[in-house]
Amino acid sequence: MKGLRGVIGRVRGWRRGWHERSKLQRIDLYTRVTLCSITWFFGVSWGLLPLGDALDGGPLAVSLAGAFLAANIAQSVLSNRNLAPAFDDYRGTEPFPPGRLRLPAALQVVMTGLLVALAAVGGVREEGLVLLVLDLPVAFGIPYVLLVTVRRFLLRSAAYSAAVVALLAAVGVPGRLLFGAVVALVVVVLLVLVSARPSVWSLSVMWQAEEARDMQARLAVAEERLRFGRDMHDVLGRNLSVIALKSELAVELAQRKNPSAVDQMVEVQRIARASQQEVRDVVRGYREADLPTELMGARGVLQAAGISVTVEGADGPAGIGAPAAVQAALGWVVRETATNVLRHGDPRHCSIRLARTRDAVVLEVENDGAGSTDPLGGGGDGGGSGLAGLRERLGALGGAVTAGPVGDDRFRVTATVPLTASRPDPGGLPVPAPAPDEPPASGGPTASGSGGQPVPGSGGLPAASPPSLDPSALPEER
């Protein structure tokens, strides 16, 4: 009973490990296992069955057959061990150690000699000889075809085939069996070539595409950091220069006991508060998720992963005047659900639906590959961090999110956000969302002087023009 439980546990572990792999990792594993299996398939079927004829050929034939079988098994084991380094060498990630081919090459020579000896003592029948010739180069050829060019592989295979046929002819094998051996060698060489090399080539192309996508993502992050730095410099550079200049002026005025120093420090205080508000606006713009952008990004990412996507009502919130806070909250839902569908599920289709009721906007994200797995990282009770984070984010706006299976291996996430939701202010106080026809309120205090008119892009704050150090405004030096 314990043994059965252990077997079941291992099977479940293999199944869990398979589902935790990405699609490209699954293709990689499938290709490697297939190529390793081909070696054993040839050895068990075409290599093992003809050796039964040796039982009627006497002790010498039985000994030769046993030695051929042992060498064939050893060659298959070495072939499977050399396949991974051959993969890496073909992809250019790590060179194949030349010394690892010495033992397989020696075993190939031994197997060829044993086959010729079996044919010489009559230890194998006519059909069996052709099958053994067909099995002879498979184990050595699968990793070797990845290490050399196609032209070199074909030339060396032709030379090896000619040597095998010549040795068989030398021990008296009839001409019709020699013709069968030639056909078998041609077929198996071409089979090894078209089964191993194209599979690894397509796999290497997919890995290169994956690495290119990763590099593109890293470059996008670096570009975003640079853009953020430029924005912060544009926001703070001018105001900090003005603050420094006005502080110098205030010091000069204070040293001369001029009451205008107080006015200059008040202006410094105003500019500092304005700068603080501008920084908040910049940070808020980076932290909020834009719903149309997130919908477009989710569709592109899911379609790139081979998942068909339908989006219904995508232009609804943007066109019907939903507040920016509502769009930002739903953008986070789209981002989180799309990411976790790719991470935890294996769907074929995903649908995103947006609808507006009288006082709320409803977003539904449904896919058909989740099964019993919560794509938000937890069960429907909110145990997962993804679902908990969305509930906290929407709860701050008076909204709600629910998630759970809906039958037929489908999983649905439903988010509802009222149209009267208020967006949280970075300073901690909730700020009511602007009405659809009302321009957003300007952030920060308003003050007159040193500019007067708001500057576009500065959050509605008056421009702080650098003061001029007018000598007539200062007392004369004594």
Side-chain angles (χ1 to χ4, degrees), residues 19-292:
H19 286 290
E20 289 176 354
R21 295 175 181 267
S22 66
K23 291 185 177 181
L24 182 55
Q25 289 174 335
R26 294 179 188 179
I27 296 174
D28 186 295
L29 179 61
Y30 173 79
T31 304
R32 294 171 185 264
V33 171
T34 301
L35 293 178
C36 291
S37 302
I38 290 176
T39 301
W40 294 102
F41 174 78
F42 273 73
V44 171
S45 59
W46 296 348
L48 177 61
L49 295 180
L51 295 179
D53 299 336
L55 298 177
D56 300 329
L60 180 58
V62 171
S63 300
L64 291 174
F68 183 88
L69 178 61
N72 197 3
I73 293 175
Q75 186 74 290
S76 299
V77 172
L78 291 175
S79 175
N80 291 168
R81 292 185 59 187
N82 289 334
L83 187 60
F87 262 67
D88 296 336
D89 183 88
Y90 184 87
R91 291 180 54 199
T93 58
E94 187 175 349
F96 185 88
R100 298 191 67 160
L101 280 180
R102 294 173 184 170
L103 184 57
L107 280 175
Q108 192 66 25
V109 173
V110 171
M111 290 175 61
T112 304
L114 291 173
L115 176 61
V116 173
L118 272 173
V121 300
V124 61
R125 294 177 183 174
E126 298 180 354
E127 299 83 359
L129 178 63
V130 175
L131 291 179
L132 286 180
V133 170
L134 194 64
D135 169 62
L136 188 60
V138 173
F140 180 82
I142 286 181
Y144 185 71
V145 73
L146 304 177
L147 302 175
V148 296
T149 62
V150 174
R151 182 174 179 273
R152 181 173 297 181
F153 177 77
L154 291 177
L155 290 177
R156 293 183 178 180
S157 298
Y160 175 76
S161 301
V164 172
V165 174
L167 290 173
L168 291 176
V171 297
V173 175
R176 57 188 179 84
L177 290 183
L178 292 177
F179 177 77
V182 171
V183 174
L185 287 169
V186 171
V187 169
V188 74
V189 166
L190 294 179
L191 180 63
V192 168
L193 180 63
V194 301
S195 62
R197 200 169 181 95
S199 300
V200 180
W201 174 80
S202 60
L203 188 62
S204 64
V205 170
M206 287 187 286
W207 274 116
Q208 290 174 3
E210 182 72 13
E211 292 170 357
R213 282 193 292 268
D214 292 341
M215 180 62 67
Q216 185 179 7
R218 287 194 292 268
L219 290 175
V221 171
E223 183 179 356
E224 186 69 11
R225 288 175 178 171
L226 291 175
R227 187 166 72 91
F228 185 82
R230 288 194 300 267
D231 289 352
M232 293 298 293
H233 178 270
D234 294 341
V235 167
L236 294 180
R238 172 181 56 83
N239 287 354
L240 290 177
S241 298
V242 175
I243 288 174
L245 191 58
K246 283 187 171 291
S247 299
E248 275 185 44
L249 180 58
V251 170
E252 293 289 338
L253 293 173
Q255 289 176 349
R256 292 169 172 78
K257 309 299 183 181
N258 192 322
S260 299
V262 177
D263 298 334
Q264 295 299 325
M265 291 308 300
V266 169
E267 184 67 11
V268 168
Q269 184 182 26
R270 183 195 68 80
I271 297 173
R273 289 177 177 174
S275 300
Q276 184 182 22
Q277 183 60 40
E278 288 179 350
V279 171
R280 288 178 177 177
D281 291 339
V282 171
V283 173
R284 182 189 299 120
Y286 277 87
R287 292 181 61 186
E288 290 183 352
D290 179 65
L291 180 56

